[in-house]
Amino acid sequence: MIAITGLKDLEKFGKQAIHASEKIERDVNDVKKAVAGYVFLRMMSQTTVDTSKAISNWKIRTPNDQSLEREAYFPGKNRSTQPQSTQLGIRRELPNLESAKPGQSIFVSNNLDYVEDYLLHKDNLLSVAKKIGEYRTKQEAGSKLRYFK
């Protein structure tokens, strides 16, 4: 918490405001990364396509990253390899959050054509992602973004 003592000491106030603006930028970036990681994990766990290819294609990317289509990390049937593919996806994708800079977007995506049907209709994943993203943003922002008394 940064206490602003008033305008009696304008120089001190200016230094406090500069410090607060730098902290806000870092904290907003931390909230963004936490929300993207949470949405990524939930989307992988909610995906019901059964060959592990859809799960293996969930990605966390920044604008400069290349898009690619992957084969299933562990091909399977009837979700038999979902846990293995999920764990490998987590190990490969979550570190991408660390490269996100303040002011830079983070994308949670899956570029398989047939996943769009699941996103929009069958599993309704887009509305689920929006709800969990909003929930997690409130949670993270409520705990981090408190600066002025």
Side-chain angles (χ1 to χ4, degrees):
M1 179 87 57
I2 299 166
I4 302 297
T5 57
L7 296 177
K8 291 180 182 176
D9 185 349
L10 195 53
E11 184 177 340
K12 184 176 178 182
F13 175 77
K15 288 179 183 177
Q16 289 174 329
I18 289 168
H19 176 70
S21 69
E22 291 167 353
K23 184 161 177 38
I24 289 169
E25 189 175 74
R26 286 190 308 271
D27 284 351
V28 166
N29 196 49
D30 289 344
V31 168
K32 172 184 68 179
K33 291 193 288 189
V35 170
Y38 186 75
V39 169
F40 170 75
L41 294 172
R42 289 293 302 269
M43 295 302 280
M44 286 181 68
S45 69
Q46 297 285 325
T47 301
T48 60
V49 180
D50 70 349
T51 65
S52 281
K53 186 171 181 178
I55 291 167
S56 300
N57 274 279
W58 282 110
K59 300 169 193 73
I60 297 173
R61 295 286 178 250
T62 57
N64 299 329
D65 293 330
Q66 289 183 323
S67 180
L68 62 123
E69 184 177 315
R70 301 180 176 129
E71 290 304 315
Y73 291 133
F74 298 94
K77 292 182 180 179
N78 297 324
R79 297 172 59 100
S80 62
T81 58
Q82 180 191 15
Q84 297 91 331
S85 290
T86 298
Q87 286 305 311
L88 188 54
I90 290 168
R91 286 201 313 267
R92 287 189 175 176
E93 295 299 318
L94 284 183
N96 293 336
L97 290 174
E98 296 310 311
S99 65
K101 307 285 185 255
Q104 184 181 42
S105 298
I106 298 174
F107 301 96
V108 176
S109 65
N110 191 319
N111 62 341
L112 296 180
D113 292 337
Y114 64 87
V115 172
E116 184 176 352
D117 194 34
Y118 284 85
L119 290 173
L120 295 174
H121 306 293
K122 293 183 180 168
D123 289 346
N124 205 17
L125 290 177
L126 289 181
S127 66
V128 170
K130 185 177 183 209
K131 286 178 187 171
I132 61 178
E134 288 171 356
Y135 166 76
R136 189 59 179 215
T137 301
K138 286 179 189 172
Q139 210 176 33
E140 289 290 325
S143 67
K144 275 196 184 267
L145 302 178
R146 294 189 180 126
Y147 299 99
F148 302 100
K149 291 185 193 180

